[in-house]
Every structure is written in structure tokens, then in C-alpha cells.
Amino acid sequence: MATYVARRLLQAVLVLLGVSVLVFSMIYLLPGDPVLTMLGDQVVAAEVVENARHQLGLDQPAPVQYGRFLWRALQGDLGRSWRSNQAVTATILEQLPATLQLTVCGLGLAVVLGVVLGVIAAVRQNSLADSFSMFLALIGVSMPSFWLGLLLIYFFSLRLGWIPATGYGGGKRLILPAFTLGLQASAIIARLVRSSVLEVLRQEYITTARAKGLAEWRVLVGHALRNALIPVVTVVGLQFGGLLGGAVIIETVFARQGIGRVAVVAITGKDFPMVQGIVLFVAAVYVLVNLVVDLLYAWLDPRIRYS
């Protein structure tokens, strides 16, 4: 087990290093002079531009700049915003609770809805309930999240007036964004749960459990579902990272505060340090969550770490 953990940690470190290189290269890959972008439409002398470039360290070789960027990132310093002059790390930490609230609620809804629909579809295979559950899953996979968000705002906020459409604060303002964010993930989980439960129900130990006279719900919950959910754990971890990144669209549609909305404003304003910091932070969270899921998966199924 220790060897498996060490190997996964090494892989996570290498991935984060690769992400840091890509994030740092953003300032060179995008067109235009970053100093002129920072100064905006101001007409300034060449001396002012060179002085700003020197203060930002952009006059040094790229390897030196990357080394400084990486060293500061390891210390939790992701630079300062070119627009607001605020620390990027402080801005991310300030907006993180709103994004985490939306992501966790969306993931919780996705897991509950996906497991319920998947189990119903598997137990009632080829029935009307199975077809209806998979039809809902198909809608969830096919419909873009921004379009679903607009539809929910139109019906439940503008037409019916039941739920506030936009803003942050209070449970009511979280319902529509969380449902919009979690629906697509729930569809993926439902389809996976259905196939996993169907596969487990065909195993010999399920037949043995039924032959012993166990109630059907005990066979399903105590034996089939427990083993069927092992691959779902990995998918849930992947979905968490996906939902964290998908919050960019949802926070914009529902005018919620959060990291995603800050990222959109930074991109439109060409605030490179803010964009770099947010991308690196989200990537780090994604890698760490998947590392935890890999370790949990190996703990649930000991065969994994010997493969």
C-alpha cells in the first residue's frame, strides 16, 4: 500500500508541475504585450513601459521568471491582480466558500439523484421505469448547463415566482444553480450505477444470498449496491473536479459570486495574474481530489494497488 501511495503522490506532483508550466506560459502564448495590456488605453512613455516591465520581472529570462513564479506559488503567493492590485490568493480564498457551497450541493444532488435513478433502472430492467430513468439521464447529458439554467430561471423565477433567479445568500438562491450544475453529473452517475448494479446482480454470491432467504431489499442494499458503487466512487471524484470548473458558467448565468465569476471578469479584462492563479488553484484542487479518490478506490478494492 505504501508503494502505491508513493507512486500516486509522485504522479500528482508531476501533473501539478506540468500544469504550472502551462499556466505560466499563458502570458507568452496570448497575443499582445502584457505590460501594455496592464496599462490599458493609457498613452505612456517608453520609459514607463520599461520600468513597469522591470518591476514585474518580465525583462528577465523565461526560466528565471518561471522559477520565481513556482517558488512563490509553493509559498501560497500567486501574485497580484493587474486590475485591482489585490492579492490573487486573498481573492480566491474570499470567493472560495461560495463556489464550494455550489459545487458540494450540486455534487450531493447528482449522487442522490443518480444512484436512485440508476438503481430503479437496474431493478426494473426493460420496464417503463427503466426507460423513463434513462430518458431523464439522456436529457441530463444532452442539455447544455447554461440553457437549462435559463429555462429554470424563466419558469420558476419569472413565470411562477417561486425561487429567486440570481444572487448569492440563502438556501432559496442555491436551489436553481445547484440543480443546474448537478443534473448532468447525475445523468452520468445514473447510467454507470445501472450498468454496475446489473453486472453485480448476475454474480453467483447474489444468487446465494437470495437462496438463503434474504429479503430482496437486503440483497440489493447489503450486497449488490455496496459492490456496484465501487466504480462510482472514481466517477464522483472526477465529477467534483468537473463541477468545480463548470461553476464558471453557472455563476455567470445566475449572477452568483464565486471563483468562476471572478475568472470570467479576469479573462475579459486580460488580468493575467488572476487568470493564472485561478487556473492553477482549480487544477491543484482537481488533482488532489482525484488523488484522494484513487487512494479510496484502492482501499475499497485491494486488487487495484497490485495491478
Side-chain angles (χ1 to χ4, degrees):
M1 184 65 176
T3 304
Y4 178 82
V5 173
R7 187 167 66 249
R8 289 302 185 189
L9 287 173
L10 179 60
Q11 291 175 355
V13 171
L14 294 176
V15 170
L16 288 176
L17 282 176
V19 171
S20 68
V21 172
L22 293 176
V23 169
F24 172 78
S25 303
M26 182 188 305
I27 198 170
Y28 296 99
L29 296 177
L30 296 178
D33 189 332
V35 176
L36 296 179
T37 301
M38 179 187 67
L39 295 175
D41 298 329
Q42 305 177 30
V43 179
V44 295
E47 293 79 4
V48 176
V49 175
E50 291 301 324
N51 185 46
R53 183 174 286 108
H54 176 71
Q55 290 179 352
L56 295 173
L58 297 178
D59 57 344
Q60 298 180 356
V64 176
Q65 294 183 43
Y66 173 71
R68 293 176 56 189
F69 171 78
L70 184 60
W71 176 248
R72 291 177 178 177
L74 291 174
Q75 295 177 323
D77 182 7
L78 297 175
R80 304 190 72 86
S81 169
W82 287 356
R83 297 297 179 180
S84 63
N85 199 34
Q86 294 180 347
V88 174
T89 304
T91 302
I92 292 176
L93 294 179
E94 180 184 356
Q95 301 294 328
L96 182 60
T99 300
L100 279 181
Q101 182 190 52
L102 176 60
T103 304
V104 171
C105 290
L107 183 63
L109 175 67
V111 171
V112 173
L113 189 60
V115 171
V116 170
L117 290 178
V119 170
I120 292 175
V123 174
R124 303 296 182 183
Q125 185 183 13
N126 299 326
S127 66
L128 182 61
D130 182 14
S131 301
F132 181 71
S133 298
M134 290 301 98
F135 175 73
L136 292 179
L138 180 62
I139 292 178
V141 172
S142 306
M143 184 174 294
S145 57
F146 70 89
W147 178 246
L148 175 62
L150 294 176
L151 290 178
L152 293 178
I153 290 174
Y154 175 74
F155 283 107
F156 292 100
S157 298
L158 300 182
R159 294 296 298 271
L160 300 177
W162 290 354
I163 305 174
T166 58
Y168 170 72
K172 284 188 176 181
R173 298 184 185 275
L174 185 62
I175 296 175
L176 294 183
F179 183 80
T180 304
L181 186 65
L183 182 62
Q184 189 173 49
S186 68
I188 297 173
I189 293 174
R191 296 170 71 90
L192 179 61
V193 169
R194 179 183 183 274
S195 61
S196 297
V197 171
L198 285 176
E199 181 179 355
V200 170
L201 288 177
R202 299 188 183 100
Q203 302 299 317
E204 294 182 357
Y205 64 87
I206 298 296
T207 305
T208 303
R210 287 170 173 165
K212 291 181 178 179
L214 293 179
E216 187 63 24
W217 69 269
R218 292 191 62 182
V219 174
L220 179 63
V221 176
H223 297 274
L225 188 58
R226 181 178 179 181
N227 291 281
L229 289 181
I230 291 179
V232 179
V233 172
T234 301
V235 174
V236 170
L238 295 173
Q239 289 302 314
F240 179 84
L243 294 181
L244 188 64
V248 174
I249 300 175
I250 304 303
E251 288 173 354
T252 303
V253 171
F254 289 92
R256 288 176 55 90
Q257 70 180 57
I259 296 177
R261 196 175 182 191
V262 173
V264 172
V265 174
I267 291 172
T268 55
K270 297 181 180 180
D271 190 351
F272 293 129
M274 185 65 71
V275 177
Q276 287 177 322
I278 292 176
V279 171
L280 185 60
F281 176 80
V282 173
V285 172
Y286 189 89
V287 170
L288 292 176
V289 168
N290 282 278
L291 173 63
V292 172
V293 170
D294 281 342
L295 299 179
L296 181 61
Y297 198 13
W299 177 73
L300 291 173
D301 190 352
R303 296 171 298 176
I304 299 299
R305 54 178 176 263
Y306 297 115
S307 61

